[in-house]
Short mmCIF file of all heavy atoms in Angstrom, two decimals:
data_model
loop_
_atom_site.label_atom_id
_atom_site.label_comp_id
_atom_site.label_asym_id
_atom_site.label_seq_id
_atom_site.Cartn_x
_atom_site.Cartn_y
_atom_site.Cartn_z
N ALA A 38 -2.91 23.12 -10.32
CA ALA A 38 -3.25 22.87 -8.96
C ALA A 38 -2.07 22.07 -8.19
O ALA A 38 -2.04 22.08 -6.96
CB ALA A 38 -4.62 21.90 -8.78
N GLY A 39 -1.30 21.42 -8.99
CA GLY A 39 -0.11 20.67 -8.31
C GLY A 39 -0.16 19.29 -8.52
O GLY A 39 0.51 18.43 -7.85
N LYS A 40 -1.09 18.73 -9.39
CA LYS A 40 -1.20 17.23 -9.57
C LYS A 40 0.14 16.65 -10.06
O LYS A 40 0.53 15.60 -9.50
CB LYS A 40 -2.28 17.01 -10.70
CG LYS A 40 -3.58 17.67 -10.38
CD LYS A 40 -4.67 17.47 -11.39
CE LYS A 40 -4.41 17.95 -12.77
NZ LYS A 40 -4.27 19.35 -12.87
N SER A 41 0.75 17.14 -11.03
CA SER A 41 2.04 16.55 -11.61
C SER A 41 3.22 16.69 -10.50
O SER A 41 3.82 15.78 -10.33
CB SER A 41 2.60 17.40 -12.84
OG SER A 41 1.57 17.16 -13.86
N THR A 42 3.14 17.77 -9.79
CA THR A 42 4.07 17.95 -8.64
C THR A 42 3.83 16.83 -7.70
O THR A 42 4.84 16.25 -7.15
CB THR A 42 4.04 19.26 -8.05
OG1 THR A 42 4.11 20.23 -9.11
CG2 THR A 42 5.02 19.47 -6.93
N LEU A 43 2.62 16.50 -7.36
CA LEU A 43 2.34 15.51 -6.35
C LEU A 43 2.81 14.15 -6.86
O LEU A 43 3.49 13.43 -6.11
CB LEU A 43 0.87 15.43 -6.13
CG LEU A 43 0.47 14.63 -4.76
CD1 LEU A 43 0.98 15.26 -3.57
CD2 LEU A 43 -1.08 14.58 -4.70
N LEU A 44 2.64 13.84 -8.07
CA LEU A 44 3.13 12.49 -8.68
C LEU A 44 4.66 12.60 -8.59
O LEU A 44 5.32 11.46 -8.24
CB LEU A 44 2.75 12.30 -10.16
CG LEU A 44 1.35 12.19 -10.43
CD1 LEU A 44 1.07 11.66 -11.87
CD2 LEU A 44 0.70 11.15 -9.42
N LYS A 45 5.26 13.67 -8.90
CA LYS A 45 6.78 13.64 -8.76
C LYS A 45 7.33 13.46 -7.35
O LYS A 45 8.24 12.94 -7.06
CB LYS A 45 7.25 14.98 -9.31
CG LYS A 45 7.13 15.15 -10.88
CD LYS A 45 7.63 16.44 -11.37
CE LYS A 45 7.35 16.59 -12.88
NZ LYS A 45 7.35 18.10 -13.33
N ILE A 46 6.50 13.94 -6.41
CA ILE A 46 6.94 13.77 -4.97
C ILE A 46 6.83 12.18 -4.70
O ILE A 46 7.71 11.75 -4.06
CB ILE A 46 6.10 14.59 -4.07
CG1 ILE A 46 6.37 16.08 -4.22
CG2 ILE A 46 6.14 14.11 -2.57
CD1 ILE A 46 5.38 17.03 -3.54
N VAL A 47 5.78 11.57 -5.14
CA VAL A 47 5.57 10.15 -4.93
C VAL A 47 6.67 9.32 -5.59
O VAL A 47 7.26 8.38 -4.96
CB VAL A 47 4.27 9.61 -5.48
CG1 VAL A 47 4.03 8.22 -5.37
CG2 VAL A 47 3.10 10.44 -4.75
N ALA A 48 7.03 9.81 -6.80
CA ALA A 48 8.18 9.06 -7.48
C ALA A 48 9.48 9.43 -7.02
O ALA A 48 10.56 8.67 -7.31
CB ALA A 48 7.99 9.54 -9.10
N GLY A 49 9.64 10.42 -6.19
CA GLY A 49 10.99 10.82 -5.59
C GLY A 49 11.78 11.79 -6.50
O GLY A 49 12.92 12.06 -6.34
N LEU A 50 10.95 12.28 -7.62
CA LEU A 50 11.72 13.20 -8.43
C LEU A 50 11.71 14.64 -8.01
O LEU A 50 12.35 15.48 -8.52
CB LEU A 50 10.92 13.15 -9.84
CG LEU A 50 11.06 11.74 -10.52
CD1 LEU A 50 10.04 11.78 -11.78
CD2 LEU A 50 12.51 11.52 -11.04
N GLU A 51 10.99 14.91 -6.94
CA GLU A 51 10.73 16.27 -6.38
C GLU A 51 10.68 16.04 -4.88
O GLU A 51 9.87 15.17 -4.42
CB GLU A 51 9.49 16.83 -6.93
CG GLU A 51 9.23 18.21 -6.69
CD GLU A 51 9.97 19.26 -7.61
OE1 GLU A 51 9.66 19.14 -8.83
OE2 GLU A 51 10.73 20.04 -7.04
N PRO A 52 11.46 16.77 -4.06
CA PRO A 52 11.25 16.64 -2.72
C PRO A 52 10.05 17.29 -2.14
O PRO A 52 9.67 18.38 -2.59
CB PRO A 52 12.51 17.24 -2.01
CG PRO A 52 12.96 18.42 -3.15
CD PRO A 52 12.49 17.70 -4.47
N ALA A 53 9.41 16.76 -1.12
CA ALA A 53 8.41 17.50 -0.42
C ALA A 53 9.04 18.44 0.55
O ALA A 53 10.10 18.18 1.01
CB ALA A 53 7.49 16.51 0.25
N ASP A 54 8.32 19.48 0.95
CA ASP A 54 8.88 20.39 2.04
C ASP A 54 8.70 19.76 3.34
O ASP A 54 9.60 19.97 4.34
CB ASP A 54 8.05 21.70 2.10
CG ASP A 54 8.22 22.52 0.77
OD1 ASP A 54 9.43 22.23 0.09
OD2 ASP A 54 7.46 23.27 0.43
N ASP A 55 7.56 18.87 3.47
CA ASP A 55 7.33 18.28 4.82
C ASP A 55 6.41 17.06 4.47
O ASP A 55 5.85 17.03 3.49
CB ASP A 55 6.51 19.23 5.62
CG ASP A 55 6.68 18.90 7.08
OD1 ASP A 55 7.44 17.86 7.44
OD2 ASP A 55 6.18 19.62 8.03
N GLY A 56 6.50 16.18 5.40
CA GLY A 56 5.56 14.90 5.24
C GLY A 56 6.33 13.73 4.80
O GLY A 56 7.52 13.77 4.53
N GLN A 57 5.79 12.60 4.83
CA GLN A 57 6.41 11.38 4.44
C GLN A 57 5.59 10.48 3.43
O GLN A 57 4.33 10.55 3.30
CB GLN A 57 6.45 10.38 5.57
CG GLN A 57 7.50 10.78 6.67
CD GLN A 57 6.88 11.56 7.83
OE1 GLN A 57 5.70 11.35 8.18
NE2 GLN A 57 7.63 12.58 8.31
N VAL A 58 6.34 9.78 2.64
CA VAL A 58 5.74 8.90 1.78
C VAL A 58 6.20 7.38 2.11
O VAL A 58 7.25 7.20 2.63
CB VAL A 58 6.35 9.02 0.30
CG1 VAL A 58 5.68 7.97 -0.68
CG2 VAL A 58 6.05 10.36 -0.22
#
Side-chain angles (χ1 to χ4, degrees):
K40 304 179 298 296
S41 296
T42 303
L43 194 62
L44 292 194
K45 287 177 192 161
I46 291 170
V47 175
L50 297 168
E51 186 82 59
D54 298 334
D55 204 1
Q57 287 94 37
V58 181

